[in-house]
């Protein structure tokens, strides 16, 4: 299952994304695909950290 998100980045944040993509040497991905991969990685890292801290509480009503 996948959930689609649609949002806009400020010019400043897009420029940061462009520079990160270049620094990673990523030439085959679109900016959208790169941003999706980057966000997914950040979510995964934050989830693991919050879970270790006991801050994650599964709730059926979310």
């Amino acid at each position: 299952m996948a959930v689609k998100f649609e949002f806009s980045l400020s010019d400043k944040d897009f420029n940061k994304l462009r520079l990160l993509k270049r620094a990673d040497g990523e030439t085959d991905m679109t900016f959208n695909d790169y941003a999706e991969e980057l966000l997914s990685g950040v979510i995964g890292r934050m989830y693991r950290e919050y879970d270790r801290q006991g801050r994650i509480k599964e709730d059926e009503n979310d």
Side-chain angles (χ1 to χ4, degrees):
M1 184 176 132
V3 177
K4 181 176 178 143
F5 290 91
E6 187 173 317
F7 56 89
S8 299
L9 292 176
S10 68
D11 290 342
K12 184 177 178 180
D13 284 339
F14 176 75
N15 190 50
K16 290 176 184 177
L17 178 67
R18 182 182 62 79
L19 294 172
L20 286 169
K21 186 176 180 280
R22 183 190 303 165
D24 276 345
E26 182 53 61
T27 59
D28 295 330
M29 296 175 84
T30 65
F31 283 108
N32 192 63
D33 290 341
Y34 181 77
E36 179 182 4
E37 187 175 282
L38 189 65
L39 179 58
S40 181
V42 169
I43 290 170
R45 283 191 302 275
M46 287 183 72
Y47 185 93
R48 287 188 300 276
E49 179 62 28
Y50 283 27
D51 191 39
R52 277 194 294 271
Q53 295 172 1
R55 296 170 64 181
I56 299 296
K57 307 286 188 250
E58 297 292 334
D59 184 0
E60 295 176 4
N61 298 322
D62 278 348

